[in-house]
Amino acid sequence: MENLLIYFLKANGLIILFYLMYVLFLRKETFFVSNRWYLISGLILSLILPLITFTKIIWVEPTPIPEFYEEVIPLTNNVIEVPIQETPLDWSLILTTAYAVISILIVMKITLELVSFFNKIRKHQKQKESDFTLIHSDTTENPFSFFHYIVINPNRFSKEEFQHILTHESIHVKQKHSIDVLLSKLFCALFWANPMIWLYRKAILQNLEFIADSETFQQIENKYEYQRTLLKVVTHQHDLSITNQFYQSLIKKRIVMLHTNQSNKRNVWKYATILPLLVGFMLLFQIETVAQVKEVVISKSVTNQIVEFIIDKNTTDEKIKAESEVLKKEYGVDLKISKIKRNVKNEIIALEAKFEDIDKTTGKISIKGEDPIEPIRFFKELKANGKGKMGFDRNNISTVFAKMQSGDENQTIKIKKSDTDETIYIINGKEYSKEEMKDKIVELDGAIEINEDGKTGKKIMVFKGNSFLSNEPNTVIYLDDQIISEEEMKKIDAEVIKSVDVKKGNIKKEIKIVTKNSSGLTDDTEIYINGKKATKEELDKIEREEIESVNVNNNNGKKSIEIQKRNIKTIQGGSWKEVEREMEMSKAEMEKAKAEMEKAKAEMERNKNTKIIETENGNQSVIYGGNRLKIPGIPSVKIENGKLDIYVNGKKLKNAEDFLTMNHEKIYFLEVTEKETNENNIVVVKKIEVKTK
């Protein structure tokens, strides 16, 4: 009984936790589909997580068994009267039974609603459609849907209203929203004493309506009429709580959400706010600490042993094969001796030895020469804890091999400063010092072998396979989402910088620089925001996500810039009449805005793809028509690959059309340096020189 109560409290606590995080972070976002899965996942995880436990074992020393003395009491014939105790009432059982009875009554109510629904639709006319079954009911005041059934009274609505309602309810049917409704109802039956579960269910139903409203709004043409349909059915309710009803409470919120701008995709981070709280729940409540007594084992001490195999100049191939088989069979070491060369006296003068044990510790040694080899010893320490050194000994130089890890795919590693100055790095047979490798990136294709001199402490790090030094920069710099060099970054005027964001990864560092909106504008440039004259400071305060369109005009050398901000309209009001009045006003404003947008669209079409390049000599060149360039004193030039050479800062563009997409605000010099006159006496431009800041 106690375990059941603890589980019940944990599940209720998680439900409260998920609901509070939804209210704080997600309720006002327009990620309706994601919110649906968040709310359903919250209910399911509230049932599952309290069942998951982790065991933490603590070993304790055994408690000495004390000597036990028992005092013997002689038996007597005395009779001891034991008083009869009355059994107290089990209040926990009574409360649990009462709680269960109420839960059963709620489940029975749900069952009766299901029976009532199917009895109701059985008596009415059914119209089978591809995605749903339409039921015409003259007695139904408010339309509703349940699984693949849609019930509606066609006599109460106009043809357009009927179609709007049908579109709305069909979305409930297609996305199986009835499952969410029934699931939330069952959770209310199970956790009815928790007031938060009723608010949780209300949030689920409200979000389902937001989903259906949002998708209906995208499919229909007369959006204003749809909102009037919502208001039309506000006074009628349906008594079956297991259905998706076209009417739901909080109609005002639904209308407001229809006019709310889509949430920024960057706000999806809010879904992760629940994760640290769930981790904290698991760490605080779901880890069971179990104390176990250490077993006292009396054993003989084991002396460390060393397995070794010595190869000298006279070792035979048969001996090498036999010893290798013993090492593999008894000690799990795969030792391979290959590339053996002998002189005329049958003495070994060259060989290559490799080993690998069961825990993937590997090593290699290679000897080449004309003289007989000195004795080589392979050794492996056998310690009681299973750990020990392993490697080769030769001429009093010990080579110990570290454990190497490598996958099938290339991996990038960064060389860090070594603790000793005596470190050499070998990449593709070439040696590099510690100073040469500082801040370098190695593209690794294979394992890393670390050799160490036992006497001098010198370390040699060998990169196996086809490894190479990468020339990619450690720091990537972005200026308004375009990559620039460090030299270009140093030339940026600090006055035009709005923000700098530095991100450090394991390998690379990113610097993202965002300039002010007024960057590049001269002091005499006129600025207009939504038709009103503004200052540079007001322009800089606008976030770039708020800007819907930008128009640049050049009237007789005087430049002006027109900024159009996104229009966000929120309906407010304390009563339904105020809501309707604001809707009427919104409709008029929309019509007016539509006319202004058509006018602006025509103006933009005339100025489409027009860009002005102002050089330091005061000349203004114009890019228009997508790929045409007009330079003062020169006929219009068509920017085409193969017909025109463009040099930027002395370097020829491989693709001349790349000039059209470069940052033209940085150009301070633009001049035709090569041209010719054809047979029709028309000037043809052959080469253009461009210089940027």
Side-chain angles (χ1 to χ4, degrees):
M1 186 68 70
E2 182 182 357
N3 290 337
L4 181 61
L5 178 61
I6 292 174
Y7 170 81
F8 185 80
L9 291 175
K10 289 179 179 179
N12 275 280
L14 286 173
I15 289 173
I16 294 172
L17 188 65
F18 272 97
Y19 178 73
L20 291 178
M21 298 306 290
Y22 172 78
V23 171
L24 290 174
F25 293 102
L26 302 173
R27 183 173 58 178
K28 295 183 179 180
E29 300 295 337
T30 59
F31 306 129
F32 303 132
V33 176
S34 299
N35 284 351
R36 178 193 181 190
W37 297 119
Y38 170 88
L39 292 168
I40 295 300
S41 301
L43 294 178
I44 295 172
L45 289 175
S46 297
L47 291 181
I48 295 175
L49 290 183
L51 299 175
I52 300 174
T53 57
F54 300 93
T55 303
K56 179 181 179 182
I57 299 176
I58 298 178
W59 295 95
V60 297
E61 297 293 336
T63 304
I65 301 175
E67 295 183 2
F68 181 78
Y69 299 94
E70 181 178 3
E71 182 180 355
V72 179
I73 302 175
L75 294 173
T76 66
N77 292 326
N78 295 334
V79 178
I80 301 174
E81 293 184 0
V82 179
I84 299 174
Q85 296 181 351
E86 295 182 0
T87 304
L89 289 175
D90 190 348
W91 286 105
S92 62
L93 180 60
I94 295 173
L95 292 175
T96 303
T97 304
Y99 189 95
V101 168
I102 296 175
S103 295
I104 293 171
L105 290 175
I106 297 175
V107 173
M108 290 176 62
K109 181 178 181 295
I110 296 172
T111 305
L112 290 175
E113 287 185 352
L114 287 170
V115 174
S116 173
F117 169 77
F118 285 108
N119 284 336
K120 189 171 185 177
I121 65 171
R122 185 168 52 85
K123 302 174 184 178
H124 294 89
Q125 176 187 355
K126 299 181 180 64
Q127 180 180 335
K128 191 74 175 178
E129 301 291 341
S130 58
D131 296 323
F132 56 86
T133 299
L134 183 61
I135 298 175
H136 297 277
S137 173
D138 295 336
T139 60
T140 300
E141 293 292 336
N142 184 51
F144 64 92
S145 62
F146 184 65
F147 284 99
H148 66 282
Y149 295 104
I150 297 177
V151 181
I152 188 171
N153 183 354
N155 299 323
R156 288 196 64 243
F157 306 102
S158 66
K159 184 177 181 181
E160 187 175 18
E161 290 172 342
F162 180 84
Q163 192 59 44
H164 288 172
I165 294 172
L166 208 58
T167 303
H168 177 99
E169 295 300 332
S170 66
I171 292 169
H172 283 309
V173 171
K174 291 176 185 176
Q175 299 188 9
K176 297 179 174 57
H177 289 175
S178 296
I179 295 176
D180 303 42
V181 177
L182 275 178
L183 184 65
S184 64
K185 193 72 174 176
L186 289 174
F187 267 81
C188 286
L190 185 60
F191 300 103
W192 60 266
N194 182 359
M196 283 293 182
I197 192 63
W198 302 96
L199 296 176
Y200 202 111
R201 178 177 184 271
K202 184 178 180 181
I204 289 177
L205 299 180
Q206 181 177 306
N207 186 67
L208 294 179
E209 294 306 318
F210 289 161
I211 293 174
D213 286 340
S214 177
E215 297 199 14
T216 303
F217 222 51
Q218 296 175 16
Q219 296 179 24
I220 64 176
E221 294 182 1
N222 195 339
K223 297 176 173 51
Y224 175 74
E225 191 62 36
Y226 176 74
Q227 296 169 74
R228 293 188 63 86
T229 305
L230 287 178
L231 294 175
K232 182 175 180 179
V233 296
V234 72
T235 57
H236 302 282
Q237 298 189 37
H238 180 67
D239 58 355
L240 291 181
S241 62
I242 58 171
T243 58
N244 294 109
Q245 304 168 36
F246 186 76
Y247 162 78
Q248 284 286 356
S249 61
L250 304 175
I251 291 290
K252 179 182 174 182
K253 281 191 177 181
R254 290 171 61 183
I255 296 175
V256 169
M257 293 303 283
L258 287 174
H259 289 270
T260 301
N261 270 18
Q262 293 295 314
S263 298
N264 196 309
K265 291 182 179 179
R266 290 181 297 183
N267 290 344
V268 296
W269 66 267
K270 294 183 178 180
Y271 289 100
T273 54
I274 191 69
L275 296 180
L277 299 178
L278 295 180
V279 172
F281 169 82
M282 298 300 290
L283 293 177
L284 288 173
F285 303 110
Q286 299 307 106
I287 296 181
E288 293 183 355
T289 302
V290 178
Q292 291 192 6
V293 180
K294 294 181 180 178
E295 294 183 3
V296 179
V297 180
I298 301 175
S299 62
K300 296 180 181 180
S301 60
V302 180
T303 306
N304 293 342
Q305 296 181 356
I306 294 180
V307 177
E308 64 178 23
F309 171 37
I310 299 175
I311 305 173
D312 60 21
K313 62 182 179 180
N314 296 317
T315 303
T316 62
D317 294 344
E318 291 76 14
K319 176 71 172 176
I320 292 173
K321 183 178 180 182
E323 293 288 345
S324 299
E325 289 177 354
V326 172
L327 285 170
K328 186 170 185 178
K329 183 177 181 181
E330 297 187 8
Y331 304 103
V333 178
D334 187 9
L335 178 65
K336 294 181 180 179
I337 312 295
S338 60
K339 299 181 182 180
I340 300 175
K341 290 186 179 180
R342 300 178 184 269
N343 57 17
V344 293
K345 296 180 181 181
N346 205 31
E347 297 172 328
I348 298 177
I349 60 175
L351 60 78
E352 183 176 279
K354 297 180 180 178
F355 72 83
E356 180 177 352
D357 72 350
I358 56 176
D359 67 350
K360 300 303 179 183
T361 301
T362 62
K364 183 178 79 171
I365 189 171
S366 180
I367 302 172
K368 295 180 182 180
E370 301 296 332
D371 299 326
I373 64 171
E374 296 291 333
I376 304 169
R377 181 178 77 116
F378 168 76
F379 70 93
K380 179 177 182 179
E381 294 179 351
L382 302 177
K383 291 187 176 181
N385 59 5
K387 299 180 180 179
K389 291 185 177 181
M390 178 167 50
F392 295 105
D393 280 345
R394 178 172 178 263
N395 288 341
N396 296 322
I397 298 177
S398 176
T399 305
V400 181
F401 295 86
K403 192 170 183 178
M404 304 169 195
Q405 297 178 346
S406 63
D408 296 331
E409 299 180 355
N410 292 357
Q411 51 184 317
T412 303
I413 67 167
K414 187 172 183 180
I415 304 300
K416 297 181 179 179
K417 284 189 176 182
S418 175
D419 294 332
T420 173
D421 293 335
E422 300 290 332
T423 303
I424 296 176
Y425 304 95
I426 300 177
I427 305 172
N428 277 338
K430 186 176 179 181
E431 294 185 3
Y432 297 87
S433 66
K434 181 191 73 176
E435 190 62 30
E436 291 173 321
M437 291 297 293
K438 184 179 179 182
D439 295 329
K440 292 293 192 301
I441 294 177
V442 177
E443 296 289 344
L444 179 64
D445 181 18
I448 304 174
E449 181 180 294
I450 303 174
N451 302 341
E452 182 178 346
D453 190 325
K455 288 186 176 181
T456 64
K458 176 178 286 189
K459 293 181 180 179
I460 301 176
M461 184 178 290
V462 182
F463 295 86
K464 312 294 287 185
N466 188 27
S467 301
F468 60 91
L469 281 175
S470 174
N471 292 323
E472 293 187 9
N474 277 359
T475 303
V476 181
I477 306 168
Y478 295 90
L479 177 63
D480 294 334
D481 296 328
Q482 292 188 356
I483 298 177
I484 61 173
S485 63
E486 289 189 24
E487 290 74 17
E488 291 175 313
M489 182 183 72
K490 293 176 182 178
K491 295 179 181 178
I492 300 174
D493 186 359
E495 295 295 327
V496 303
I497 296 176
K498 184 176 183 179
S499 65
V500 178
D501 184 20
V502 180
K503 294 183 179 179
K504 293 184 178 180
N506 293 331
I507 303 300
K508 293 183 178 181
K509 180 170 71 173
E510 288 187 356
I511 300 176
K512 293 188 176 182
I513 303 173
V514 179
T515 59
K516 297 178 180 178
N517 296 330
S518 62
S519 173
L521 298 180
T522 58
D523 292 336
D524 60 345
T525 302
E526 293 183 348
I527 302 169
Y528 295 90
I529 300 175
N530 288 351
K532 295 182 179 180
K533 195 169 184 179
T535 63
K536 284 187 177 182
E537 290 74 17
E538 291 173 324
L539 176 61
D540 291 333
K541 289 180 181 178
I542 301 176
E543 295 295 331
R544 299 195 176 187
E545 293 79 6
E546 298 180 54
I547 298 177
E548 183 173 0
S549 64
V550 178
N551 289 328
V552 179
N553 301 317
N554 189 13
N555 299 321
N556 298 324
K558 189 174 184 180
K559 186 185 291 184
S560 65
I561 181 170
E562 296 179 358
I563 307 293
Q564 187 69 33
K565 293 177 63 177
R566 298 184 185 277
N567 183 28
I568 302 175
K569 177 66 178 174
T570 302
I571 297 178
Q572 298 177 341
S575 65
W576 298 117
K577 290 184 178 180
E578 292 177 358
V579 172
E580 286 187 296
R581 185 169 62 252
E582 291 197 35
M583 286 173 57
E584 292 291 345
M585 293 172 61
S586 177
K587 182 179 179 181
E589 290 175 1
M590 288 173 63
E591 292 296 331
K592 183 179 179 181
K594 185 177 179 182
E596 292 177 350
M597 287 179 64
E598 291 296 332
K599 183 179 179 181
K601 186 177 178 182
E603 182 67 23
M604 289 173 63
E605 194 65 32
R606 288 194 296 270
N607 296 322
K608 188 176 181 181
N609 297 327
T610 300
K611 298 178 182 177
I612 298 174
I613 303 173
E614 188 169 352
T615 54
E616 62 181 3
N617 60 4
N619 289 337
Q620 290 185 340
S621 301
V622 181
I623 297 176
Y624 68 97
N627 65 345
R628 291 192 173 275
L629 173 64
K630 179 63 176 73
I631 304 172
I634 302 294
S636 295
V637 181
K638 190 175 183 180
I639 308 297
E640 282 185 304
N641 295 328
K643 295 185 178 181
L644 176 67
D645 294 333
I646 299 178
Y647 286 75
V648 178
N649 297 331
K651 185 180 291 187
K652 180 182 176 182
L653 294 179
K654 293 182 180 180
N655 188 339
E657 292 178 358
D658 289 346
F659 171 80
L660 299 171
T661 58
M662 67 183 293
N663 190 348
H664 301 100
E665 292 182 358
K666 293 186 177 182
I667 297 176
Y668 68 88
F669 178 88
L670 191 152
E671 188 173 288
V672 175
T673 56
E674 186 177 333
K675 59 185 178 180
E676 63 182 23
T677 305
N678 61 16
E679 57 187 6
N680 296 324
N681 202 28
I682 298 175
V683 176
V684 179
V685 177
K686 305 295 290 183
K687 181 179 177 182
I688 296 176
E689 289 281 347
V690 177
K691 294 180 182 179
T692 61
K693 298 176 184 177

